[in-house]
Amino acid sequence: MFTIALRVLWNGGVARIAVEQARNAKAKLLVYRESFYNYDLSGIYVEFLRRKGEKGFLTPLFRKITEIYAKNRGDEATVDLDLIVKASRIIKEPALFHDQFAGITGYLRKVFHGEDYAIYLHETSLTLKGIKYLIPKVMERKVLEGAKIILTNSQWNKRVLEDKGMGAEVLYPGCYTIDEVEEDKENFVLAVSMWDEGRRPEIYGEIAKRIKGRLIMAGSWARRDTMEEFKRKYPEVIVTDRISEDKLRELYKKASLTIRFGFDERGPGMAVLESLCNGTAVIVNDGLGGKEFVIEGENGYVIKDWKEAVDRINEVLENHKLRRSLSINALETGKKYSWRNHAIKLTEIMEKIA
């Protein structure tokens, strides 16, 4: 057995991947801090270093430090340096660390105990400009260079790392596919994310004003005040906030399209893959790693801006035959990925770390 180390268990793509890896690879899941989530953890060997609602003595200080780099992500985004160090005294077996901050734990184990470790990198700070990013970039480089294996979630991320002189292997996330496409898709477009100001929710609000159907934004919000302000400004949008996994799957299956924008977000965006696996075509922009799943005009579209997105959405909503074709092809794409195959490959990779 190996360990999968996750800094924060909350409703986000990183946590979703870690949970399903642990479930399907029969690995131990070590969660540094528990937050709000809807994941079914039955059948998973999970250990928490800090339970929901608990705070450490230095938590306020770590929150202030985190705000320098992630001002609008809310308290739950705090990087708990005390737990990162604590984990280095607990993990004593091969481990995969989700993100470069959790990877500090692996780096400490290697420095003091000579143990190898693997990193699953979702996004990198190495391309960021500005003096304030100097320390995170130095830290990330040391963590990545110290890892025996670097895994990442997109070819885009792989190319960035190669440009920085580091090799990486792409291991796309997995998904659970449905058996067949819903016969009667409903007249709405779905957007799923962990919402904050960095996701630019106002873009979806402007789209909602102009499409010939509803737009539903599903998923938790990092800050409630951000959500409430958005709802006041864009009453046209149906905002679900946090919903169950079962309800989310139903939305994926019933939606005519799923839309997701990224802004130099090199990760795929779990909503893109999960939409395809539920037989729903996707519209993404060029700034999202999820474009790697899109076959233009067959299972979705890659667009340049929200105005083009409006045109594409209305085209699909008004054309049943086109929507049906896109949906069938979307499911066929989704079938190429599965959590089982992901887990088999991950286990083979982790066996290289003794």
Side-chain angles (χ1 to χ4, degrees), residues 6-188:
L6 175 68
R7 286 193 305 109
V8 185
L9 181 58
W10 65 349
N11 288 331
V14 176
R16 184 183 295 273
I17 293 170
V19 167
E20 296 306 332
Q21 285 177 336
R23 188 190 316 280
N24 289 275
K26 306 301 180 185
K28 174 183 176 181
L29 179 62
L30 179 65
V31 175
Y32 294 7
R33 175 163 51 84
E34 180 187 31
S35 184
F36 52 88
Y37 61 92
N38 295 97
Y39 309 125
D40 176 13
L41 300 182
S42 60
I44 299 178
Y45 177 25
V46 58
E47 178 181 349
F48 294 94
L49 299 187
R50 182 169 292 154
R51 299 309 297 250
K52 183 165 55 179
E54 297 177 348
K55 291 185 178 181
F57 176 72
L58 295 175
T59 296
L61 173 61
F62 297 146
R63 176 60 194 141
K64 290 295 183 183
I65 296 173
T66 304
E67 282 183 342
I68 298 173
Y69 307 100
K71 184 177 181 180
N72 298 311
R73 292 285 280 171
D75 290 345
E76 298 303 319
T78 299
V79 177
D80 304 284
L81 295 175
D82 56 336
L83 297 181
I84 289 171
V85 174
K86 181 178 180 180
S88 71
R89 299 194 295 268
I90 295 173
I91 297 176
K92 297 179 180 178
E93 61 274 329
L96 173 69
F97 295 92
H98 274 274
D99 86 19
Q100 52 274 60
F101 295 104
I104 297 173
T105 298
Y107 180 77
L108 292 174
R109 292 294 303 176
K110 181 160 189 175
V111 169
F112 293 107
H113 303 282
E115 295 177 356
D116 285 322
Y117 62 95
I119 292 286
Y120 196 111
L121 186 73
H122 299 265
E123 298 289 341
T124 178
S125 68
L126 297 178
T127 59
L128 297 177
K129 300 184 184 301
I131 190 66
K132 76 174 183 178
Y133 296 111
L134 178 60
I135 293 176
K137 288 165 69 173
V138 170
M139 176 278 298
E140 180 179 330
R141 181 171 284 277
K142 284 188 174 294
V143 168
L144 293 177
E145 290 178 342
K148 184 171 183 177
I149 296 170
I150 302 174
L151 301 176
T152 192
N153 53 10
S154 71
Q155 294 293 337
W156 190 1
N157 263 329
K158 179 181 178 179
R159 289 192 297 271
V160 169
L161 292 173
E162 287 175 343
D163 288 343
K164 301 297 181 180
M166 288 171 283
E169 182 174 353
V170 175
L171 182 60
Y172 286 119
C175 62
Y176 298 108
T177 57
I178 60 174
D179 294 328
E180 58 183 1
V181 174
E182 289 282 319
E183 184 65 35
D184 296 314
K185 292 281 191 177
E186 296 185 10
N187 195 43
F188 72 87

